């Protein structure tokens, strides 16, 4: 019940204003910059120092939680940006918050395929962190073998259909499996 109250409270500032289009001047500039920095840290490359990225992630997450707590999120883009940063948090509570924020973003703007995708991906990550099979097929792990191949994390293939995946902007299971193979070719 407390989660529902928090979600509704988080939506309260939005109720009086129509949702903004992506890139609107009503989007929170600091939150946008935080999201951009988060994504820059994850650009593919051979020299990512994850210990440094981890500290920056913790700093960004702390600031995002402050913005959420003070009611600074107003637009679908704000909720998406905050969710994306929380998705990279180390704790189950961070992933739960990411899922709630992504769901709010997708509710504000149902046409935002990135928010719909993040809602599915955060749900999968939440299930994965709880040791349960994912539903949508967005999470990959490295095998604990000598070759450390990428593989699709365990999936409950009966939970959702490929049509539901497509509706949320998520690849089909066949496409997700192909992605794992491509990751192993690099």
């Amino acid at each position: 019940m407390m989660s529902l109250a928090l979600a509704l409270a988080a939506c309260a500032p939005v109720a009086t204003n129509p949702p903004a289009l992506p890139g609107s001047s009503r989007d929170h500039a600091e939150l946008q910059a935080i999201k951009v920095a988060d994504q820059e840290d994850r650009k593919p490359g051979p020299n990512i120092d994850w210990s440094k990225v981890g500290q920056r992630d913790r700093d960004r997450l702390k600031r995002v939680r402050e913005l959420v707590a003070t009611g600074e999120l107003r637009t679908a883009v704000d909720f998406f940006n905050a969710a994306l940063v929380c998705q990279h948090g180390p704790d189950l509570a961070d992933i739960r918050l990411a899922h709630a924020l992504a769901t709010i973003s997708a509710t504000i703007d149902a046409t935002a395929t990135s928010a719909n995708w993040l809602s599915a991906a955060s749900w999968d990550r939440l299930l994965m962190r709880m040791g349960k099979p994912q539903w949508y097929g967005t999470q990959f792990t490295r095998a604990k073998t000598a070759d450390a191949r990428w593989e699709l994390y365990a999936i409950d293939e009966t939970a959702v259909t490929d049509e539901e995946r497509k509706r949320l902007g998520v690849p089909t299971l066949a496409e997700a499996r192909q992605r794992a193979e491509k990751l192993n070719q690099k």
Side-chain angles (χ1 to χ4, degrees):
M1 192 64 170
M2 180 61 114
S3 296
L4 178 59
L6 289 174
L8 291 174
C11 288
V14 178
T16 58
N17 299 315
L21 297 173
S24 165
S25 62
R26 292 183 24 224
D27 297 335
H28 197 285
E30 180 187 3
L31 192 50
Q32 178 67 25
I34 291 169
K35 190 266 303 193
V36 167
D38 175 84
Q39 294 301 287
E40 283 292 317
D41 270 347
R42 286 166 169 74
K43 278 192 174 175
N47 300 320
I48 296 177
D49 183 343
W50 287 106
S51 63
K52 290 180 181 176
V53 171
Q55 182 56 54
R56 289 191 296 264
D57 279 349
R58 287 186 289 280
D59 294 342
R60 286 188 288 260
L61 184 59
K62 180 180 179 203
R63 182 61 183 141
V64 166
R65 283 185 168 277
E66 290 169 355
L67 294 171
V68 169
T70 58
E72 295 289 321
L73 284 62
R74 301 243 187 280
T75 67
V77 171
D78 291 347
F79 282 92
F80 173 82
N81 290 342
L84 194 60
V85 172
C86 291
Q87 173 83 343
H88 298 135
D91 299 325
L92 194 58
D94 302 323
I95 309 306
R96 282 187 176 127
L97 181 57
H99 183 66
L101 295 169
T103 301
I104 292 168
S105 177
T107 300
I108 294 170
D109 183 358
T111 65
T113 55
S114 55
N116 287 315
W117 175 86
L118 186 55
S119 181
S122 61
W123 180 250
D124 277 353
R125 187 164 292 179
L126 188 59
L127 290 170
M128 185 175 82
R129 293 272 179 96
M130 293 188 305
K132 297 179 179 183
Q134 64 179 321
W135 287 10
Y136 297 98
T138 62
Q139 302 300 300
F140 298 82
T141 57
R142 290 245 190 202
K144 295 185 182 354
T145 58
D147 61 358
R149 292 180 54 81
W150 285 101
E151 54 191 27
L152 190 59
Y153 179 75
I155 187 159
D156 177 352
E157 295 188 30
T158 65
V160 296
T161 65
D162 275 344
E163 289 73 29
E164 177 69 4
R165 288 179 185 92
K166 287 180 193 176
R167 189 183 70 72
L168 296 174
V170 175
T172 66
L173 285 183
E175 292 167 335
R177 288 184 176 108
Q178 288 173 351
R179 180 172 179 224
E181 287 306 313
K182 285 180 184 175
L183 289 170
N184 289 319
Q185 293 171 2
K186 292 181 180 179

